[in-house]
C-alpha cells in the first residue's frame, strides 16, 4: 500500500508534467502558425483586444524587446458563464512584425490540477481497494489450503504425551517443506521417547534398589538396638543411624515423586474438591497446632472445584500447610482463604529485617533451599508444590507482609 501510494503521487506528477508539456507545445505551434500567417498577410488586422481570439499583441519599444525572454506561465481567467476562475496556460513571447516590436500573449486552457488530482485519486482509490480486497481474499484461501497440514501438525503435537509411547499421526502433505518437517518431528519424537523411557526406568530402578538396602539397614539397626548389651552411648548412635535411614527413605520417595511430576506421569482429568482436601489435611496438624498454640482461621467464600490430579493437589495443599505449621511461631496465626479460583495460606513467622521477610523469593522454590535450619525440613516441599502447580497449569506465588508469609495458588 505504501508503494502504491508513492506510485500514485509519482503518477500524478508525471501526468501533470505531460499535460503542461502538451499544452506548451500547442501554444508554441499556435505562435508559429500565427506568425507565419501574419508574414504572408501583412494587411491582416491583428492589433487590438479581440475577445474571440486566443492571442493579444502589445506594442513595446526596442529596449524592452531586447531584454525580454519567452516564457510559459499558469494563470487564472474569470469565466462569466461558469462564474469561476479557470486555469489557463499562457505563452509570453516577443516578436517583430513589419518593423514593429510586440509582446504576444497566447492563451490555452488546460485540465485543472484539482480536477486532475481528484479524478486520479478516485480511480486509484478504487483500484487500490479492489487490489487489496482481491489480495486479502486470495491469500486467505491460498494460505488456508497451504498451511492446513501445518496447523493439523500443531494440533497433534499439543495433544502428544511422551508417556503414551505413541508417535503422533501427522498429516501427509505434497509440499516438500512439510514433508521434511514431518520427518524431522518424527525423528525428534522418537529420540525423546527413548530418552524418556531410559530416564524413567533408571529412576524407578535406582529408587527400588535404594529402598531395599535402606529397609534392610533399618530392620537390622532396630534389631540391634533391642539387645540389652548395648551401652547408652551405643544405643544413641544406633538410634541416630535409624533416624538417618528413615530420612534417606523419605528423601528417596520425595525425589522419585518430583521426577514423576516433571515427566508428567499423572493425568490431570479429575474434578478436585479443594475445600474437602483442606478439611482432611488439617487433621494431620492438630499436634503441631496444639504444641505452638497456633490460631487457625479458615475463610471459605465458595465451594472450590478445580480440574487436575487428586493426589497431586493433595500433595500441593499438604506441603503448603506443612510449611505454614513447620515454620510458624509460638502463639502464631494461620489463615486459609478459599476464593473464586484462588487459595491463599498465610502464616506468621520471624521477621528478619524492616524491609521484608527472611525468605529469598528468587530461591524459595529451588530444590534443597532452606533458611530455617529445621532438621525436619529437606527444602523440597515448596519445590514439589511449585512443580505441581506448573504441571497443572496453575500459578503459585509468594509474598510477605511484615512478619506474615503468604502463599497464593491461582487456579485460573
Amino acid at each position: 500500500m505504501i508503494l502504491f501510494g508513492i506510485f500514485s503521487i509519482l503518477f500524478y506528477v508525471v501526468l501533470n508534467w505531460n499535460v503542461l508539456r502538451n499544452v506548451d507545445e500547442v501554444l508554441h505551434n499556435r505562435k508559429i502558425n500565427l506568425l507565419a500567417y501574419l508574414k504572408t498577410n501583412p494587411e491582416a488586422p491583428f492589433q487590438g483586444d479581440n475577445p474571440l481570439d486566443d492571442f493579444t499583441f502589445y506594442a513595446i519599444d526596442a529596449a524592452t524587446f531586447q531584454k525580454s525572454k519567452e516564457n510559459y506561465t499558469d494563470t487564472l481567467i474569470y469565466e462569466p458563464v461558469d462564474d469561476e476562475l479557470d486555469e489557463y496556460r499562457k505563452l509570453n513571447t516577443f516578436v517583430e512584425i513589419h518593423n514593429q516590436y510586440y509582446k504576444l500573449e497566447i492563451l490555452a486552457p488546460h485540465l485543472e490540477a484539482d480536477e486532475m488530482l481528484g479524478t486520479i485519486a478516485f480511480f486509484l482509490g478504487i483500484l487500490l481497494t479492489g487490489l487489496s480486497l482481491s489480495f486479502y481474499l486470495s491469500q486467505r484461501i491460498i494460505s488456508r489450503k497451504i498451511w492446513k497440514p501445518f496447523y493439523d501438525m500443531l494440533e497433534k503435537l499439543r495433544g502428544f504425551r511422551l508417556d503414551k509411547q505413541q508417535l503422533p499421526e501427522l498429516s501427509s502433505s505434497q509440499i516438500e517443506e512439510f514433508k521434511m518437517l514431518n520427518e524431522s518431528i518424527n525423528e525428534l519424537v522418537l529420540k525423546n521417547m527413548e530418552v524418556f523411557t531410559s530416564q524413567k526406568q533408571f529412576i524407578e530402578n535406582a529408587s527400588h534398589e535404594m529402598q531395599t538396602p535402606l529397609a534392610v539397614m533399618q530392620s537390622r539397626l532396630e534389631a540391634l538396638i533391642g539387645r540389652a548389651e548395648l551401652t547408652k552411648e551405643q544405643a544413641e548412635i544406633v538410634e541416630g543411624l535409624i533416624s538417618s535411614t528413615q530420612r534417606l527413605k523419605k528423601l528417596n520417595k520425595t525425589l522419585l515423586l518430583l521426577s514423576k511430576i516433571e515427566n508428567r506421569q499423572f493425568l490431570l482429568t479429575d474434578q478436585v474438591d479443594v475445600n474437602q482436601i483442606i478439611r482432611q489435611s488439617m487433621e494431620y496438624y492438630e499436634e503441631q497446632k496444639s504444641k505452638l498454640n497456633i490460631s487457625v482461621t479458615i475463610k471459605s467464600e465458595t465451594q472450590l472445584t478445580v480440574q487436575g490430579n487428586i493426589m497431586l493437589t493433595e500433595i500441593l495443599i499438604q506441603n503448603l500447610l506443612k510449611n505454614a505449621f513447620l515454620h510458624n511461631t509460638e502463639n502464631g496465626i494461620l489463615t486459609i482463604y478459599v476464593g473464586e479460583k484462588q487459595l491463599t495460606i498465610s502464616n506468621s513467622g520471624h521477621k528478619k529485617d524492616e524491609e521484608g521477610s527472611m525468605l529469598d523469593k528468587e530461591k524459595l522454590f529451588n530444590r534443597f533451599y532452606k533458611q530455617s535450619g529445621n532438621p525436619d525440613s529437606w527444602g523440597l516441599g515448596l519445590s514439589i508444590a511449585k512443580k505441581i502447580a506448573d504441571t497443572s497449569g496453575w500459578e503459585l506465588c509468594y509474598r510477605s507482609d511484615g512478619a506474615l508469609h503468604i502463599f497464593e495458588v491461582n487456579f485460573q
Side-chain angles (χ1 to χ4, degrees):
M1 292 180 68
I2 294 175
L3 290 175
F4 196 89
I6 295 173
F7 166 78
S8 300
I9 295 173
L10 292 176
F11 179 71
Y12 166 74
V13 172
V14 172
L15 183 60
N16 189 50
W17 171 82
N18 191 56
V19 169
L20 292 179
R21 188 175 64 85
N22 289 334
V23 175
D24 292 346
E25 186 177 351
V26 170
L27 291 172
H28 178 75
N29 294 338
R30 175 64 172 154
K31 181 193 76 169
I32 298 299
N33 294 332
L34 181 60
L35 294 179
Y37 176 79
L38 293 177
K39 186 175 182 180
T40 57
N41 298 276
E43 71 282 356
F46 61 87
Q47 299 188 41
D49 187 8
N50 188 346
L52 299 179
D53 291 333
D54 60 352
F55 64 91
T56 306
F57 283 93
Y58 299 97
I60 59 175
D61 54 30
T64 304
F65 178 80
Q66 295 294 332
K67 296 177 181 179
S68 301
K69 295 182 180 179
E70 183 177 273
N71 61 80
Y72 297 88
T73 58
D74 292 322
T75 185
L76 297 175
I77 297 178
Y78 177 74
E79 292 287 350
V81 178
D82 298 333
D83 192 23
E84 64 178 9
L85 294 173
D86 289 341
E87 292 186 12
Y88 277 79
R89 189 71 170 169
K90 182 170 65 173
L91 169 61
N92 295 313
T93 187
F94 302 87
V95 298
E96 180 183 357
I97 302 175
H98 310 314
N99 298 320
Q100 293 291 326
Y101 299 105
Y102 298 94
K103 175 186 177 183
L104 173 60
E105 291 183 356
I106 304 176
L107 295 173
H110 70 82
L111 184 64
E112 296 182 1
D114 292 340
E115 293 179 359
M116 183 188 302
L117 181 60
T119 303
I120 293 175
F122 176 74
F123 284 103
L124 288 181
I126 294 177
L127 179 60
L128 176 60
T129 303
L131 287 175
S132 301
L133 185 61
S134 301
F135 180 78
Y136 172 76
L137 294 176
S138 63
Q139 286 301 309
R140 277 187 64 87
I141 296 172
I142 295 173
S143 297
R144 188 175 300 173
K145 183 177 180 180
I146 291 178
W147 289 97
K148 186 178 184 301
F150 176 76
Y151 289 111
D152 291 342
M153 191 185 309
L154 284 182
E155 192 65 28
K156 296 289 179 60
L157 290 177
R158 285 194 184 102
F160 173 71
R161 289 182 55 183
L162 280 172
D163 56 305
K164 290 184 177 180
Q165 296 294 300
Q166 184 178 359
L167 285 173
E169 298 179 0
L170 303 178
S171 303
S172 60
S173 173
Q174 300 300 320
I175 300 175
E176 187 65 27
E177 288 79 7
F178 285 151
K179 289 182 180 179
M180 296 171 60
L181 182 59
N182 284 353
E183 294 173 0
S184 300
I185 289 176
N186 285 328
E187 184 179 351
L188 179 63
V189 170
L190 280 173
K191 291 181 179 179
N192 278 274
M193 287 170 59
E194 292 175 0
V195 172
F196 174 79
T197 303
S198 175
Q199 181 183 9
K200 181 181 176 183
Q201 290 177 350
F202 171 77
I203 293 172
E204 291 175 351
N205 294 338
S207 175
H208 176 73
E209 293 299 326
M210 288 179 64
Q211 288 286 68
T212 302
L214 286 174
V216 173
M217 289 172 58
Q218 183 176 349
S219 62
R220 291 185 177 181
L221 288 170
E222 288 174 351
L224 180 63
I225 200 172
R227 297 180 181 180
E229 61 268 17
L230 291 178
T231 64
K232 181 179 179 181
E233 183 179 355
Q234 290 173 334
E236 289 177 353
I237 294 174
V238 174
E239 287 178 354
L241 291 173
I242 293 175
S243 177
S244 298
T245 304
Q246 291 175 340
R247 284 169 58 83
L248 283 174
K249 289 173 64 178
K250 182 179 178 182
L251 174 61
N252 185 44
K253 291 181 180 179
T254 302
L255 290 176
L256 179 61
L257 172 64
L258 191 58
S259 177
K260 288 182 177 180
I261 294 172
E262 290 178 338
N263 292 333
R264 299 181 180 272
Q265 295 179 230
F266 298 92
L267 296 177
L268 304 174
T269 57
D270 302 327
Q271 294 297 318
V272 186
D273 189 340
V274 175
N275 302 68
Q276 183 179 359
I277 294 176
I278 292 174
R279 288 193 298 269
Q280 294 174 350
S281 300
M282 289 301 297
E283 299 175 0
Y284 304 138
Y285 304 103
E286 287 296 331
E287 182 180 351
Q288 188 76 9
K289 174 184 173 182
S290 302
K291 181 180 178 181
L292 294 177
N293 191 28
I294 298 174
S295 175
V296 178
T297 304
I298 300 178
K299 300 178 182 178
S300 179
E301 292 187 356
T302 182
Q303 189 68 25
L304 180 57
T305 302
V306 298
Q307 181 174 335
N309 183 277
I310 293 179
M311 186 181 75
L312 292 183
T313 308
E314 288 179 352
I315 295 173
L316 167 65
I317 295 175
Q318 288 174 5
N319 281 2
L320 293 178
L321 289 175
K322 179 182 177 181
N323 180 77
F325 278 106
L326 193 62
H327 301 289
N328 216 315
T329 58
E330 190 173 357
N331 299 321
I333 59 173
L334 191 151
T335 304
I336 303 171
Y337 168 76
V338 181
E340 187 69 24
K341 299 294 182 181
Q342 184 184 72
L343 169 65
T344 304
I345 299 178
S346 309
N347 66 278
S348 54
H350 297 287
K351 188 176 180 183
K352 187 173 182 180
D353 51 44
E354 295 298 326
E355 296 182 356
S357 67
M358 63 184 298
L359 300 181
D360 187 344
K361 295 181 181 180
E362 299 296 328
K363 302 178 181 178
L364 181 61
F365 297 108
N366 292 348
R367 297 182 187 182
F368 300 106
Y369 170 75
K370 59 178 185 176
Q371 285 185 321
S372 64
N374 193 319
D376 296 327
S377 173
W378 283 102
L380 287 173
L382 291 179
S383 178
I384 291 177
K386 179 65 174 175
K387 285 294 181 183
I388 293 174
D390 294 342
T391 303
S392 304
W394 305 331
E395 181 186 14
L396 173 61
C397 54
Y398 165 80
R399 68 179 188 275
S400 61
D401 184 6
L404 198 65
H405 303 277
I406 304 171
F407 289 87
E408 184 175 284
V409 184
N410 294 312
F411 299 99
Q412 296 290 347

